[in-house]
Amino acid sequence: MPELPEVETTRRGIEPHLLGHRVTGLVIRQRRLRWPIPRALDHTLPGQIIRGVRRRAKYLLLDTDVGTAILHLGMSGSLRLVPRDTPVGKHDHVDIQLDSGLSLRLTDPRRFGALLWTTEPAEQHELLAELGPEPLSDAFDGAHLCNAAHGRKLAVKQFIMDSHIVVGVGNIYASEALFMAGIHPTRQAGRIACARYDALAKCIKQVLAASIKMGGTTLRDFVGGDGQPGYFKQTLRVYDRLGEPCHTCGAPIRGKRIGQRSSFYCVNCQR
DNA sequence: ACTGGCTCCTGAGGGC
DNA sequence: TGCCCTCAGGAGCCAG
């Protein structure tokens, strides 16, 4: 479900309810997520005060004085703040109970998400150490893409979705950014001019920033940490618009599977 | 070193 | 109503 804008929307929604608050209890109903939730969390997190609510790529980081909880929402995960005694649903796997009487509740039907724990600086954790730059940072630009693309033969869409190249570009925004930049999604990454990568980097920043501003994309039932839906879906130009007219030229939007992921593009506007 | 394919899991929707 | 198939917003892992 969540792409970077949804994760950032969630972060902003939950942060004011967590920062400076003490964890009073931890309820784990289902330990088997993508990786088992480590037992170390059970007796270390309760009692701790949340000192930071950060995001790196699509990982949410909850800092305490003794370690950092690393959360990932996978395809179908969401976080909500609920009163402690709120009835539990089938896929409500974890409650982090807070001194305010609220609980941060992790719901994830498909269980592709994760909840891990590290006592090192989180950015040194093996899942985070090798990640590429944040797309909205100055470290990410066209030159970075152009350098990294040198000699690469895979489709540019798969290239920009590789978190070692740049983080946070998921399946929706990859299609959207390539349309905005006028680049065909199957073009080989190493056969794109640097000037076009400048445009693509700008489009990636633009589409992600715009989506964050609107609270993320609601495809089915995404809600941010404050329970409000996102409003970006209505602005999507190509994603999930198979056969509908291109907003620029009117040609029907085409669909194709690229690297096992559905992709959408306009054959006239993207080369 | 790259690349493509597979994998985890549940639920929704379409065809019959 | 039910069965079977395909697909879904992620991304680590593995063989070739």
Side-chain angles (χ1 to χ4, degrees):
Chain A
M1 167 191 296
E3 294 211 25
L4 185 142
E6 289 73 18
V7 178
E8 179 60 22
T9 298
T10 297
R11 192 196 69 76
R12 293 178 185 185
I14 65 176
E15 182 178 37
H17 299 277
L18 297 185
L19 216 49
H21 282 276
R22 190 178 297 276
V23 175
T24 53
L26 180 64
V27 180
I28 299 174
R29 304 181 188 87
Q30 169 59 275
R31 203 172 279 275
R32 299 179 65 83
L33 303 183
R34 175 158 196 177
W35 300 282
I37 297 173
R39 300 266 171 196
L41 210 58
D42 299 20
H43 296 295
T44 42
L45 190 56
Q48 295 300 316
I49 291 172
I50 307 292
R51 303 292 188 186
V53 181
R54 294 182 293 151
R55 178 187 60 75
R56 172 71 171 111
K58 294 172 189 168
Y59 294 95
L60 287 167
L61 308 175
L62 309 184
D63 296 308
T64 73
D65 293 327
V66 296
T68 300
I70 302 174
L71 270 158
H72 198 290
L73 299 177
M75 290 269 267
S76 58
S78 63
L79 288 169
R80 295 286 299 277
L81 281 148
V82 297
R84 179 170 308 177
D85 55 0
T86 302
V88 172
K90 189 177 175 184
H91 303 297
D92 295 339
H93 306 313
V94 178
D95 281 2
I96 298 175
Q97 298 173 332
L98 302 162
D99 58 8
S100 60
L102 296 177
S103 292
L104 182 67
R105 178 166 287 180
L106 173 66
T107 306
D108 186 2
R110 290 177 74 179
R111 289 194 272 128
F112 289 173
L115 172 54
L116 299 172
W117 177 252
T118 181
T119 54
E120 295 174 314
E123 36 285 311
Q124 288 173 26
H125 189 273
E126 56 180 9
L127 288 175
L128 306 187
E130 306 297 324
L131 293 175
E134 287 288 326
L136 296 174
S137 73
D138 291 341
F140 174 68
D141 58 14
H144 168 77
L145 283 179
C146 200
N147 290 337
H150 185 73
R152 301 291 300 268
K153 289 192 161 72
L154 81 170
V156 62
K157 176 163 181 277
Q158 291 171 278
F159 174 69
I160 61 172
M161 288 179 68
D162 180 347
S163 63
H164 299 99
I165 304 301
V166 56
V167 302
V169 182
N171 200 38
I172 299 175
Y173 300 112
S175 277
E176 293 299 306
L178 287 165
F179 173 80
M180 289 168 68
I183 299 172
H184 197 287
T186 61
R187 182 169 288 275
Q188 286 187 6
R191 298 187 152 226
I192 293 173
C194 284
R196 304 190 77 197
Y197 273 125
D198 286 339
L200 180 56
K202 288 194 176 94
C203 291
I204 288 170
K205 288 172 188 283
Q206 197 182 320
V207 71
L208 292 175
S211 182
I212 289 171
K213 211 167 187 175
M214 299 186 74
T217 302
T218 295
L219 281 184
R220 292 195 176 83
D221 55 357
F222 172 80
V223 289
D226 58 356
Q228 294 303 305
Y231 292 100
F232 196 69
K233 183 176 179 3
Q234 54 210 20
T235 77
L236 294 178
R237 292 166 161 89
V238 288
Y239 186 84
D240 209 19
R241 294 194 63 239
L242 180 64
E244 294 174 38
C246 170
H247 292 320
T248 301
C249 75
I253 298 299
R254 299 203 188 181
K256 183 181 175 67
R257 290 192 80 75
I258 302 173
Q260 282 85 260
R261 308 301 298 276
S262 62
S263 308
F264 301 89
Y265 60 97
C266 172
V267 74
N268 282 336
C269 299
Q270 294 173 256
R271 304 283 169 164

